[in-house]
Amino acid sequence: MAAHDTVEKTAGRVALTRAATRPPRKREWAPWVYLAPALVVLGGLLVYPVYQLGLISLLEYTQAQVSGGEPTRFQGFANYAELFGDPEFWQVLLATVVFAGACVVSTLAVGCALAVLLTRVRAVPRLALMLAALGAWATPAITGSTVWLLLFDPDFGPVNRILGLGDHSWTYGRYSAFFLVLLEVVWCSFPFVMVTVYAGIRSVPSEVLEAAALDGASQWRIWRSVLAPILRPILVVVTIQSIIWDFKVFTQIYVMTGGGGIAGQNLVLNVYAYQKAFASSQYSLGSAIGVVMLVMLLAVTLVYLRLLRRQGEEL
């Protein structure tokens, strides 16, 4: 009898322990309840447009269908077959990938370097640099592009005078035009990286950095071996954001190269899609390009996050 009571008491304690350690079901649903309004808004702003984009890419949808002169016909993947069979599309895709990659690397390098610099200067220079960077960040893309065009203008721009280049046109050559746009993209994008990484550096305990300095580590070694591993989740966020922003650059290319450069030599996918959809009234082909861009960005983001998860990083 005593043994039976002991077993029952032990079973009761185990049940109470499990009940205490098991999270309540209400708590499991609580985050979703708080996120529900935002998810509804995002669903309306993102899901429906993406659905329409994918639907139009499967239809024959030109100016004739828009005006009602001809009925809309379902074509399946014929628009994608036409797009993938066009050599110009692959040229533009390659140019977009290379240009976006150069922009991402340059933006991260400049932003991280200035974030480290902010931790080394005094309060007044730090405030001045922060205000200047935030001013660049807050400048609309079309305004910044126009200002950079004026700076590099072959007739009135101060850059050519300082460098002694005479009436050299930066937007005439393919690579010089891409380089000019890259400078503008980095100029308006690095503040986000700088501010985000600077906030992360400030959260690192000063004892860790002091210990690394006492061990004789250089500034580059401290960044590579101490700061970068600690700031990896933050670097993941800014990298993904930069990839998304730079891969779908439109305004800077369109304004600074006059719609894609001479004979389309500076086309990127976003400008190429705009030309197909609105200049040529091939809305279905423009939508197909948009779907391809969406799939590529999702794939890059998911692969990057998957690799980090395999390395045991918490995001």
Side-chain angles (χ1 to χ4, degrees), residues 5-293:
D5 293 340
T6 303
V7 171
E8 286 187 351
K9 289 180 180 179
T10 303
R13 290 195 191 98
V14 172
L16 290 174
T17 303
R18 289 179 178 176
T21 56
R22 187 186 301 121
R25 293 186 177 273
K26 291 183 178 179
R27 292 183 181 179
E28 293 178 0
W29 288 99
W32 295 104
V33 173
Y34 290 117
L35 290 173
L39 292 176
V40 171
V41 174
L42 289 176
L45 294 177
L46 296 178
V47 176
Y48 181 73
V50 170
Y51 162 75
Q52 286 292 333
L53 184 73
L55 178 62
I56 294 175
S57 71
L58 301 175
L59 304 174
E60 182 185 1
Y61 201 70
T62 62
Q63 188 61 40
Q65 283 76 29
V66 173
S67 61
E70 295 182 9
T72 302
R73 289 185 290 270
F74 181 77
Q75 293 196 129
F77 294 100
N79 292 317
Y80 294 95
E82 179 181 351
L83 184 65
F84 295 149
D86 186 1
E88 185 181 15
F89 167 75
W90 296 106
Q91 295 174 5
V92 173
L93 176 60
L94 177 61
T96 304
V97 172
V98 174
F99 175 73
C103 288
V104 170
V105 173
S106 302
T107 302
L108 292 175
V110 173
C112 292
L114 291 178
V116 175
L117 178 62
L118 286 176
T119 63
R120 304 297 178 188
V121 298
R122 295 181 179 274
V124 175
R126 184 189 307 129
L127 178 61
L129 180 56
M130 291 282 284
L131 291 177
L134 292 177
W137 195 12
T139 302
I142 188 169
T143 304
S145 302
T146 304
V147 170
W148 277 80
L149 277 180
L150 291 175
L151 291 175
F152 287 83
D153 186 85
D155 297 321
F156 308 104
V159 175
N160 280 5
R161 296 181 181 180
I162 294 173
L163 298 179
L165 297 178
D167 59 350
H168 172 72
S169 176
W170 291 81
T171 58
Y172 182 78
R174 184 188 186 191
Y175 298 107
S176 61
F178 268 129
F179 177 72
L180 182 58
V181 177
L182 181 144
L183 292 178
E184 202 281 333
V185 170
V186 172
W187 175 76
C188 67
S189 302
F190 84 85
F192 170 74
V193 178
M194 183 190 74
V195 172
T196 306
V197 174
Y198 173 70
I201 294 175
R202 298 298 295 180
S203 65
V204 177
S206 59
E207 295 82 4
V208 176
L209 303 179
E210 292 174 359
L214 290 175
D215 289 339
S218 62
Q219 294 299 323
W220 167 246
R221 186 60 184 271
I222 292 175
W223 167 261
R224 184 170 62 89
S225 302
V226 179
L227 287 177
I230 296 175
L231 299 176
R232 188 167 297 175
I234 294 177
L235 295 176
V236 169
V237 173
V238 297
T239 300
I240 293 176
Q241 289 281 7
S242 297
I243 290 173
I244 294 173
W245 290 341
D246 296 339
F247 192 82
K248 60 185 186 67
V249 165
F250 174 83
T251 305
Q252 292 89 340
I253 289 284
Y254 193 84
V255 172
M256 300 179 73
T257 65
I262 301 173
Q265 65 181 3
N266 296 113
L267 283 176
V268 292
L269 280 179
N270 241 353
V271 180
Y272 184 59
Y274 176 84
Q275 288 189 353
K276 288 293 185 182
F278 298 102
S280 303
S281 298
Q282 296 176 300
Y283 303 107
S284 52
L285 276 179
S287 299
I289 297 171
V291 172
V292 171
M293 291 179 61

